[in-house]
Amino acid sequence: MESWNDERLDELSRRIDTGFEKAATKVELTALKNEMNLRFDGVDGRLGEIDRRFDKIDDRLEHLNHTLLIGLFGLIAAVIANGIFS
């Protein structure tokens, strides 16, 4: 490192050029970011659809619960009425 001759400067220049060729440019990074955003938007859309499906299942389970409770109360009333009036 005592002296920088032309050969060493040329080698350094080539190494720097190679490094820049490997490095992503701002345009490439912007394109990659935009592609990732599009993919995340797709994932968000699919998760929204899953949420809507779970809401439908929740509504169905709630209706089933109400139906079972009404049936249970009817059965209890029938057993009580049978005990009282028999």
Side-chain angles (χ1 to χ4, degrees):
M1 289 241 188
E2 296 172 11
S3 64
W4 287 88
N5 57 24
D6 286 342
E7 238 178 70
R8 290 192 64 180
L9 288 173
D10 288 342
E11 179 190 351
L12 177 62
S13 178
R14 280 192 300 275
R15 288 175 57 195
I16 290 173
D17 288 343
T18 302
F20 278 118
E21 287 172 2
K22 290 180 182 178
T25 65
K26 187 174 183 177
V27 172
E28 291 171 330
L29 290 176
T30 301
L32 179 62
K33 179 182 170 186
N34 290 338
E35 182 182 346
M36 288 175 61
N37 284 337
L38 287 174
R39 289 184 179 193
F40 280 124
D41 289 344
V43 170
D44 287 344
R46 285 183 274 179
L47 289 176
E49 179 62 29
I50 290 171
D51 284 344
R52 284 190 288 278
R53 287 182 181 178
F54 277 127
D55 287 342
K56 285 181 182 178
I57 290 171
D58 190 41
D59 289 343
R60 288 180 183 172
L61 289 175
E62 190 173 323
H63 285 104
L64 177 63
N65 187 27
H66 289 177
T67 302
L68 290 174
L69 283 174
I70 290 169
L72 179 63
F73 288 138
L75 181 64
I76 291 172
V79 169
I80 291 173
N82 187 35
I84 291 174
F85 296 115
S86 26

